[in-house]
Amino acid sequence: MTGDRLNLLNHDRRGLEARFAELGEKPFRARQILQWIYQRNVDDFAVMTDLSKALRARLADCAEVRPPEVVMDRDSDDGSRKWLLRLADGNCIETVFIPGPDRGTLCVSSQVGCALNCSFCSTATQGFNRNLEVSEIIGQLLIANRLLGAGEAGARPVTNVVMMGMGEPLLNFDNVVAAMWLMRDDLAFGLSKRRITLSTSGIVPEMDRLREACDVSLAVSLHATNDALRDELVPINRKYPIAELLAACRRYVGDDGRRRVTFEYVMLDGINDSDRHARELLRLLEGVPSKINLIPFNPFPHTRYRRSRPERILAFQEILARAGIVTITRKTRGDDIDAACGQLAGDFRDRTRRRESRLQTRLQEGLY
Ligand code: SAH
């Protein structure tokens, strides 16, 4: 079914109000719908009894609430859980839930594939396919909460969202911002802006726009302490080098002294993990209110990199911590189900290949 139906998951509150105005309906109808969908977990218009019968019939006719379809659901031994979701066009994306003692974090994808080509990331190897729609982004949260047992009573297992799945969220700016508004909206998920973290490889102009469009916590994938190395690891650095990136970070947090940027730093054996690199990192971040998140590299097939040894990571962390910077080493979670940082991709890649070979066959058969 569908195609020309209005998928209500594609709009934040403002967008829905505008759509309803086009239908000649009052804006508060949009607000009622938001609550039905996101707070009561209802997608059947017939059940939405505070809407008029006529509106219910109309919506049943022209609208739908359609998140992606779950095609695989895997549990890791460490409690994390990964879903493979199929989109309407057949592409697949991954979403990962990471439970903690005091929170439940969902790692959300923003694009099918990624265009940035970071040399240590498995998503990069599959190339870029397309941006996700709002429904495909917010649908990840809706599905996770449902499958983790949220009911009509409104329990919400997901308390935090990190935009750290597949893709570069700032290169899908409008849809990511609308989805994050739904995460924040009290009529939808009601998460505080501190519980939503957007991670970027450093798309400087969009970092400035983000602060205005939807203020959330910012994480930046730094990974290197000089431009020569960062050019190699995170090629977008050639366009927005470290000095410009850090200036944007300072603008983002402002100078009220309360906010900090989280810098992500992947620990690559023999590449960026020496004591000298740690000291360079300290110098670099002087004057930038920061926290550091060390991520032990997660290997994937055909990678040229290795994970730094645990003692090396500890020594690196100690240099930073001794200088007073809050530094944590991210626990490797879900690697038994290929759900760790930078490992989201495999299934989709294989699917693409299958699709390509189908296409090849059809081309040979002269069908296209
Ligand atoms: N494109 C955004 C969002 C991805 S977030 C960004 O670059 O920030 C995922 C985080 O995991 C990023 O910091 C990314 O650099 C890191 N990462 C990618 N591949 C990894 C790997 N193989 N091992 C560990 N971390 C990796």
Side-chain angles (χ1 to χ4, degrees):
M1 272 295 298
T2 71
D4 45 1
R5 278 169 183 270
L6 173 69
N7 187 354
L8 300 183
L9 298 180
N10 269 324
H11 301 282
D12 62 6
R13 191 196 295 203
R14 281 230 302 265
L16 266 191
E17 286 175 349
R19 293 293 86 71
F20 274 63
E22 282 164 16
L23 295 170
E25 296 286 344
K26 294 271 190 308
F28 78 91
R29 295 297 184 198
R31 300 199 284 274
Q32 288 175 310
I33 293 273
L34 280 176
Q35 287 173 297
W36 280 112
I37 298 176
Y38 297 105
Q39 298 190 339
R40 304 196 191 112
N41 255 311
V42 167
D43 53 12
D44 177 0
F45 299 117
V47 179
M48 302 184 180
T49 44
D50 56 359
L51 307 180
S52 70
K53 266 210 168 118
L55 177 56
R56 276 184 263 161
R58 201 162 169 205
L59 290 173
D61 214 40
C62 72
E64 63 183 350
V65 177
R66 189 163 50 100
E69 182 195 348
V70 179
V71 287
M72 202 175 66
D73 182 342
R74 290 179 73 186
D75 280 315
S76 160
D77 292 338
D78 63 24
S80 54
R81 196 159 157 187
K82 179 173 87 163
W83 295 283
L84 182 70
L85 306 177
R86 184 162 50 222
L87 313 176
D89 64 359
N91 277 317
C92 286
I93 52 165
E94 295 185 318
T95 304
V96 181
F97 179 70
I98 308 140
D102 56 350
R103 64 179 69 179
T105 304
L106 191 70
C107 181
V108 167
S109 294
S110 57
Q111 298 181 315
V112 181
C114 187
L116 292 182
N117 214 15
C118 299
S119 58
F120 55 89
C121 179
S122 140
T123 305
T125 60
Q126 70 185 83
F128 175 68
N129 187 295
R130 70 168 171 87
N131 280 332
L132 293 186
E133 292 175 14
V134 181
S135 59
E136 295 165 338
I137 301 170
I138 204 65
Q140 297 172 56
L141 185 45
L142 198 63
I143 288 171
N145 268 326
R146 277 185 195 166
L147 295 180
L148 291 163
E152 268 205 49
R156 294 267 179 60
V158 177
T159 62
N160 294 59
V161 172
V162 292
M163 299 298 305
M164 294 187 184
M166 298 163 67
E168 167 50 53
L170 291 186
L171 291 180
N172 184 12
F173 192 88
D174 293 344
N175 293 349
V176 164
V177 162
M180 294 195 307
W181 273 118
L182 285 167
M183 293 171 197
R184 287 179 60 178
D185 195 326
D186 284 336
L187 300 180
F189 291 104
L191 298 180
S192 99
K193 63 183 186 183
R194 283 181 303 278
R195 289 179 177 271
I196 303 169
T197 302
L198 181 145
S199 176
T200 181
S201 53
I203 317 292
V204 166
E206 313 303 334
M207 290 166 67
D208 288 326
R209 278 178 73 208
L210 180 67
R211 173 96 200 267
E212 303 305 316
C214 184
D215 189 11
V216 292
S217 301
L218 183 69
V220 169
S221 296
L222 188 58
H223 305 320
T225 54
N226 59 69
D227 282 324
L229 180 57
R230 194 162 190 271
D231 281 353
E232 206 181 293
L233 299 178
V234 186
I236 194 72
N237 193 67
R238 293 173 204 156
K239 196 157 177 199
Y240 306 114
I242 292 175
E244 281 180 39
L245 175 60
L246 295 180
C249 291
R250 267 187 237 112
R251 290 194 293 276
Y252 195 87
V253 291
D255 47 20
D256 71 1
R258 275 177 302 177
R259 306 188 58 176
R260 282 183 285 184
V261 175
T262 299
F263 289 97
E264 294 156 285
Y265 194 96
V266 65
M267 296 299 289
L268 301 169
D269 182 32
I271 305 279
N272 65 353
D273 65 348
S274 70
D275 287 356
R276 177 178 61 83
H277 289 112
R279 288 191 295 270
E280 278 177 13
L281 186 55
L282 281 175
R283 265 201 301 283
L284 206 56
L285 295 183
E286 249 169 53
V288 186
S290 25
K291 289 184 274 194
I292 297 176
N293 225 320
L294 301 178
I295 316 177
F297 171 63
N298 295 305
F300 51 89
H302 309 301
T303 178
R304 68 186 116 130
Y305 299 111
R306 284 184 316 261
R307 177 182 295 178
S308 308
R309 283 171 295 111
E311 351 29 299
R312 182 84 300 271
I313 299 178
L314 208 59
F316 196 95
Q317 174 166 357
E318 263 169 26
I319 293 175
L320 303 172
R322 251 187 273 127
I325 300 200
V326 175
T327 307
I328 64 156
T329 297
R330 203 178 278 176
K331 263 198 241 146
T332 296
R333 303 285 300 265
D335 52 352
D336 56 336
I337 54 169
D338 287 341
C341 303
Q343 290 187 324
L344 303 183
D347 305 90
F348 159 72
R349 191 173 51 221
D350 294 338
R351 273 163 196 282
T352 317
R353 284 215 199 97
R354 276 207 296 279
R355 234 192 345 268
E356 273 166 7
S357 64
R358 262 206 313 271
L359 185 66
Q360 280 300 321
T361 320
R362 305 213 118 201
L363 286 169
Q364 281 153 14
E365 288 167 1
L367 291 172
Y368 290 129

